[in-house]
Amino acid sequence: MGLGSWKQRANMKGGFSLVELLTVLAIVAVTLSIGVPGFSAFLRNQQITSATNDFLAAIRLARSEAIQRGARVDLVPRDPDGSWAGGWVVFVDNNNNQRPDAGERVVLAHDAAPKGLRIEARLTDSTVQYLAYNGTGRSRTNASSQRTQFGTFTFRLNEQVRKIKLNFLGSPRACNPAREGSSC
């Protein structure tokens, strides 16, 4: 190695050429354009699954609190307008009015569901949006503590759908209509 070639190498600056940099940026852009739509669908799936599981846990909490206390416990929308997507509250409903009033113990207050998520309730008593359990752990309506409240809560986020089904005794189960078909 001669003195001239050593000086050439010493004078060369490290780094990337413009062509190399543009090639890497093009590869990153293509990779992101392929991955982002898939990630968006994954994110929506996680959001609806999480909201469904949170709601299912609230139903189970209301039921177990009713059994533990031997008293009526309600699950109601947090918003006075009856929208479940605005959040929900589990509380001991001493005066049977489906609203947490001063002096009534709030067991759980859940924040609003993710933006764009709709929650629809189709229950035997749909005059007011609520789910109530009596001290035996059975669902009940406002008309009678012996008349059961059963039906379906449907969660929709774009093309994603999940359901929570309440049987005749008020026992809940979550299901995915895309996977379970007509049994959901």
Side-chain angles (χ1 to χ4, degrees):
M1 170 151 83
L3 184 61
S5 63
W6 181 80
K7 282 185 176 181
Q8 276 182 330
R9 285 188 185 170
N11 288 334
M12 289 181 65
K13 297 189 184 208
F16 300 105
S17 71
L18 182 60
V19 172
E20 292 170 329
L21 185 61
L22 290 176
T23 302
V24 169
L25 287 176
I27 291 170
V28 168
V30 168
T31 304
L32 285 176
S33 68
I34 292 170
V36 167
F39 183 71
S40 296
F42 172 77
L43 183 60
R44 282 191 306 275
N45 183 49
Q46 291 302 93
Q47 287 175 324
I48 194 167
T49 300
S50 177
T52 304
N53 288 339
D54 287 351
F55 200 85
L56 182 62
I59 293 172
R60 289 181 173 153
L61 177 65
R63 188 175 193 201
S64 68
E65 284 289 321
I67 293 169
Q68 180 183 9
R69 295 171 185 278
R72 177 181 174 145
V73 175
D74 282 18
L75 169 65
V76 298
R78 199 169 184 172
D79 290 340
D81 68 353
S83 169
W84 289 101
W88 46 88
V89 179
V90 175
F91 68 103
V92 179
D93 193 6
N94 295 328
N95 60 6
N96 298 333
N97 71 346
Q98 298 84 46
R99 295 301 325 150
D101 299 316
E104 292 180 326
R105 171 134 163 70
V106 173
V107 180
L108 171 80
H110 192 282
D111 290 332
K115 186 175 175 153
L117 180 76
R118 293 185 329 265
I119 304 172
E120 303 157 2
R122 292 215 169 119
L123 304 171
T124 50
D125 181 9
S126 295
T127 56
V128 178
Q129 293 294 304
Y130 74 98
L131 178 59
Y133 285 95
N134 62 25
T136 64
R138 293 183 67 173
S139 62
R140 59 161 294 167
T141 64
N142 286 332
S144 167
S145 65
Q146 301 305 311
R147 186 165 178 234
T148 60
Q149 175 87 300
F150 60 94
T152 305
F153 289 95
T154 304
F155 297 74
R156 297 181 194 280
L157 182 63
N158 296 338
E159 71 282 352
Q160 302 280 335
V161 178
R162 300 290 184 280
K163 291 184 178 185
I164 295 177
K165 303 199 64 108
L166 294 169
N167 69 13
F168 188 69
L169 299 175
S171 181
R173 78 174 178 93
C175 60
N176 182 346
R179 288 191 198 141
E180 299 173 43
S182 63
S183 68
C184 181

